[in-house]
Amino acid sequence: MSERTPLLHYRLSASVNESGEHRRDEHEPRSPATDRRRPAAKQPPKLNTFFGVVIPTLLSMFSVVVFLRIGFVVGQCGLYQTIAMLLVAYFIISMTVLSVCAISTNGALDAGGAYYMISRALGPEFGGSIGIMFFLANVCGSALFVLGLVEAILTTFGISDDGSSLTGSRYAALPTGYWWSLLYGTVILLLCVLVCLVGAHIYAKATFLIFIIVMVVLGTIFISFFAVPFRTVQLPGHRNASLGPTSANFTGFKLDTLLGNVQADYVVDYTTGVMMSFATVFAVMFNGCTGIMAGSNMSGDLKNPSYSIPRGTITAVIFTFVIYNLLSILISCTCDRILLQQDYGFLTDINVWHPLVTVGVYSSTLSAAMSNLIGASRILYALARDNLLGRFLSPAKHTSASGNPWVSVLISWIFVQLVLFSGKLNTIASIVTIFFLLVYAAVDLACLALEWASAPNFRPTFRYFTWHTCVLGIMGCAVMMFLINAIYASASIAFMLLLLLLIHYLSPVSSWGCISQALIFHQVHGLYVLGHVQLGDLDVLPSDPLQSQYDSWLSLVDHLNIKAFVNLTLADSVRHGVQHLLFISGLGGMRPNTLVLGFYDDIPPQDLLQDTSLSICKFTDNSSQTDDPEDQNDPPCHFPPVRGGVSVGRGGVWGGKSMGPQEYVCVIADAVKMLKNVALARYFGQFDRTQALQGPIFVDVWPVNLLRPDSAAYVDTCSLFLLQLACILNMTRAWQKAKLRLFLCVEEGRSLKGTEQKLRHLLKELRMKAEICTVPWDSQVALHWQRQTRSEKIEEMESEEGGVEADKVFANSFPSNTSRVSDEYLQAVNKLILDQMLRPPAIRFLYLPRPPADTSRYHDYLNQLELLTRNLGPTLLIHGVTPVITTDL
């Protein structure tokens, strides 16, 4: 072998879940509950980006604030603080949007939106507790928008206790009061429930109509600032001059008006009687930013969530930010301060056509209420489907024939109805804001955990984020939560921790990723077990010969600056020693999952260990200040000598090697039987790291079993594991500039375009960037079939003569992914690989077939690998036994 055979490298990683992410095989059987929720009925069409993300997000973010509270914010805070509030609020949500985009583009999304993202990243405890908080946030948000709609209706049609109109409207006919407002809210909520019960598709159609109305109303509002002249507006509820001014002015564009509105002037809110402050106003204003998850909540109803959520959410956020700032500036230039502080519905009074703004207010708030209600129902359905609270939420799993979770809608309706008893919009605004801020912080935390844990399956296609944006988002959310209301913020966090403990004891064991597993993987990523087998029998030895070698190996670990454990064993054969190491190595749940061996060939070994030993010893001698000459002449580092001489064993005669080719292949077969991944490293003595990482860097990947050209496939477990390792290498800092080249072997007559398209689609689902290089290999395959034809004739003649051996019959009963290929074929394939390079790659990844079941073919198997990889330069032959790549989050 070109590398030292006794030195075995193991990759130590968490065998439960290496990546810290949900990992489900495509062919994994689904639970009965999963099957029940997908009946054979005709499914409604999925929603695209515009209808499923942009429209719900825009309407949720506009809703109450743009029509009923934008003047309130400017009137209390002034223009300067209003713009500052918008910058702070949008900075917080922008950091969260980046995290949402990253997580949503990291594989397939299912129903549940933000809950699904968090639970699959942080685990069921964190995900479930945050999911319940997000459910409550949407419930309170829906109630808030219903109360906002009630307030808008009563502003136009309400009559006071003495029978007069609140605003002087001639259409006033509705009685006011707490119980009347509750009745109106209940009726409005019932209308929202009926729409949500029909399904998301009808909801999308309804919101599109509302979207058109809102856009038209916004257009008329902007026109009104320029078209409407000076106008006096009667203030609502002020009939007695002793209570304050009874009217205020819309002045049009005037410098004096602008100067009067730039500074803050906090007064009592006339709807609640509470003195306003920066924190309370921010709580109200921030509700106009809490709709960023509306599109994410619809993830289960989208055609392509990973595509739609980032683009739709970012578009909506940018659009609303521009609109809010323009409205704030125009209002400050045209409206008296008293008008903004005492009439929250002033946009109706100054519009070119009064009823149009009223329709816009009703439509947007109704849409936002429905959006939050349907979002809450989807989150509740996802929680129930995951069995996080046992049987408590089991009724919420039921769906209609079209897949609509109607029971979850009804449960959400009940919760919203309970919140409506609060009575006033500004009363629950702080609670809603804190709930949403807590959820946003959790989304940022989930993205931060995946980024810091360096989970190999965390490969989002959206890359415009860093851990810095996640930290800033978390800090911003936390600071604003306690600024708004420290008591509510503390109570919300305490309630979330209580839910975390409850779910920890109630939830079943899940196959999702968990933050603890991800952090474990981060600690063991790059952690190795350096294994060494020394031949000998302890019964005939005076003492354990391995004890004196530990210091040498530990010194080697320190010198190489790697994280590794050292396991040495004494055995009668290398094979038995490797079996010992594979059985006992590891700590708890962290078990070695990959065995790395040097390749077995006749190339003279490069004894790098002895060279390293001398350098370490020299370093130790120079640094130690000892006067004992015996200590200076006795270096502490010791490694076994390089092989020499001639040895004879069961595998035949081989030059001074600790084991023969038969035993070497047996070691590979044993590792595969123990469900360990295997990597054979060849020609890495020629690897020059400094030279390899200079200039353009290429990593060539051949994810096809070249020893079985008759059944070559790109989507089996081994090829996917090979792709995973190549991708992990590409994710490391030193190899990030490397370009992956994926070689697609094709034959004439097969659909080249279709095969390449399928492979490209697979890479897209796996979030891998690689150049696909098509390689025709008709001549090579022809050599294989010629040999197969000759072999079949020989076997037929042997069977007729009765010459079939019993062990071959037994071996043929077991499947094998190797075949009897000719040397001519292997040499042709080797030349094919060598010819596919304008610039030599730094490293090649090749498919390592499983050793044949017939042990008499082990020599042929090893010879096939030698011919296949001859003169290829640094090459890794990879055999994977565990599916570690998935398109799920």
Side-chain angles (χ1 to χ4, degrees), residues 124 128 185 366 389 417 492 816 842 857:
L366 183 64
L389 295 178
Q417 183 64 55
S492 300
S816 173
R857 294 178 53 200

Side-chain angles (χ1 to χ4, degrees), residues 827-849:
Q827 292 168 356
V829 173
N830 176 266
K831 186 177 183 302
L832 177 71
I833 297 175
L834 286 172
D835 291 341
Q836 305 303 317
M837 57 178 185
L838 296 176
R839 174 182 171 86
I843 186 174
R844 285 185 176 89
F845 287 84
L846 266 63
Y847 187 114
L848 175 65

Side-chain angles (χ1 to χ4, degrees), residues 235-247:
L235 299 179
H238 290 278
R239 296 298 175 204
N240 192 338
S242 62
L243 299 177
T246 59
S247 62

Side-chain angles (χ1 to χ4, degrees), residues 177-240:
Y178 172 79
W179 292 107
W180 285 108
S181 297
L182 181 62
L183 175 63
Y184 304 146
T186 302
V187 173
I188 294 171
L189 179 60
L190 184 61
L191 176 62
C192 297
V193 171
L194 293 178
V195 175
C196 294
L197 284 175
V198 176
H201 190 58
I202 300 300
Y203 161 77
K205 291 183 177 179
T207 54
F208 177 69
L209 178 61
I210 295 174
F211 172 76
I212 296 298
I213 296 174
V214 170
M215 290 299 104
V216 171
V217 173
L218 276 177
T220 61
I221 288 175
F222 280 106
I223 294 174
S224 299
F225 285 114
F226 297 92
V228 175
F230 181 91
R231 179 175 292 181
T232 299
V233 179
Q234 185 178 10
L235 299 179
H238 290 278
R239 296 298 175 204
N240 192 338

Side-chain angles (χ1 to χ4, degrees), residues 121 124 141 164 196 309 358 403 442 488 497 572 596 621 668 775 843 865:
S164 60
C196 294
I309 290 176
T358 303
Y488 286 170
L497 294 177
D572 60 342
V596 183
D621 289 342
I668 299 174
V775 180
I843 186 174
L865 298 180

Side-chain angles (χ1 to χ4, degrees), residues 404-705:
N404 186 34
W406 61 274
V407 177
S408 296
V409 173
L410 294 179
I411 296 175
S412 303
W413 168 47
I414 295 173
F415 275 89
V416 176
Q417 183 64 55
L418 292 176
V419 178
L420 288 180
F421 282 95
S422 62
K424 291 294 182 180
L425 184 152
N426 289 1
T427 304
I428 61 174
S430 298
I431 300 175
V432 174
T433 302
I434 288 175
F435 279 177
F436 275 108
L437 283 170
L438 189 61
V439 173
Y440 295 166
V443 173
D444 290 322
L445 179 62
C447 190
L448 177 67
L450 292 172
E451 180 72 8
W452 273 359
S454 301
N457 276 11
F458 186 58
R459 301 188 300 272
T461 57
F462 182 87
R463 297 302 306 172
Y464 300 101
F465 80 101
T466 64
W467 66 268
H468 304 85
T469 62
C470 301
V471 171
L472 289 174
I474 295 172
M475 293 175 60
C477 291
V479 169
M480 293 314 304
M481 282 173 57
F482 285 92
L483 281 180
I484 291 171
N485 194 309
I487 297 177
Y488 286 170
S490 302
S492 300
I493 295 174
F495 181 61
M496 184 192 71
L497 294 177
L498 181 64
L499 289 174
L500 189 148
L501 295 175
L502 183 66
I503 295 174
H504 177 73
Y505 289 104
L506 293 181
S507 64
V509 178
S510 67
S511 60
W512 311 341
C514 180
I515 184 59
S516 59
Q517 295 174 356
L519 293 176
I520 289 174
F521 174 82
H522 178 68
Q523 292 300 316
V524 303
H525 182 64
L527 184 60
Y528 301 88
V529 174
L530 300 182
H532 174 65
V533 179
Q534 180 164 328
L535 300 182
D537 186 356
L538 194 60
D539 291 338
V540 299
L541 294 174
S543 62
D544 182 8
L546 300 177
Q547 296 302 319
S548 62
Q549 300 180 21
Y550 272 103
D551 289 339
S552 302
W553 288 95
L554 295 176
S555 299
L556 174 66
V557 170
D558 293 337
H559 178 73
L560 297 177
N561 194 25
I562 61 174
K563 295 187 296 183
F565 294 108
V566 174
N567 276 357
L568 309 181
T569 186
L570 189 70
D572 60 342
S573 68
V574 174
R575 180 186 182 186
H576 290 162
V578 174
Q579 289 177 354
H580 298 164
L581 294 175
L582 290 175
F583 277 128
I584 67 174
S585 296
L587 297 172
M590 297 184 296
R591 312 293 299 177
N593 71 337
T594 303
L595 171 66
V596 183
L597 292 168
F599 193 80
Y600 194 101
D601 54 27
D602 295 325
I603 297 177
Q606 297 180 4
D607 195 6
L608 301 177
L609 294 186
Q610 292 294 347
D611 296 338
T612 305
S613 173
L614 292 176
S615 64
I616 299 174
C617 293
K618 291 178 181 179
F619 174 80
T620 305
D621 289 342
N622 292 335
S623 62
S624 60
Q625 303 296 328
T626 177
D627 297 331
D628 189 351
E630 293 184 4
D631 291 341
Q632 293 182 0
N633 296 330
D634 185 18
C637 305
H638 171 73
F639 293 105
V642 68
R643 62 178 183 254
V646 177
S647 301
V648 181
R650 288 170 291 179
V653 181
W654 60 93
K657 298 182 180 181
S658 302
M659 61 178 174
Q662 182 79 10
E663 188 177 12
Y664 176 79
V665 181
C666 286
V667 169
I668 299 174
D670 292 342
V672 174
K673 291 176 183 178
M674 297 180 189
L675 298 181
K676 308 294 184 184
N677 309 304
V678 178
L680 305 183
R682 191 176 192 189
Y683 295 121
F684 274 84
Q686 306 174 4
F687 181 74
D688 186 346
R689 179 184 177 88
T690 304
Q691 183 178 359
L693 298 181
Q694 289 180 352
I697 308 171
F698 296 99
V699 176
D700 288 358
V701 183
W702 296 75
V704 62
N705 185 358

Side-chain angles (χ1 to χ4, degrees), residues 101-129:
C101 294
I103 299 178
S104 63
T105 57
N106 186 50
L109 275 178
D110 206 341
Y115 157 70
Y116 187 88
M117 301 177 194
I118 298 171
S119 62
R120 269 53 179 181
L122 299 184
E125 293 89 355
F126 283 98
S129 57

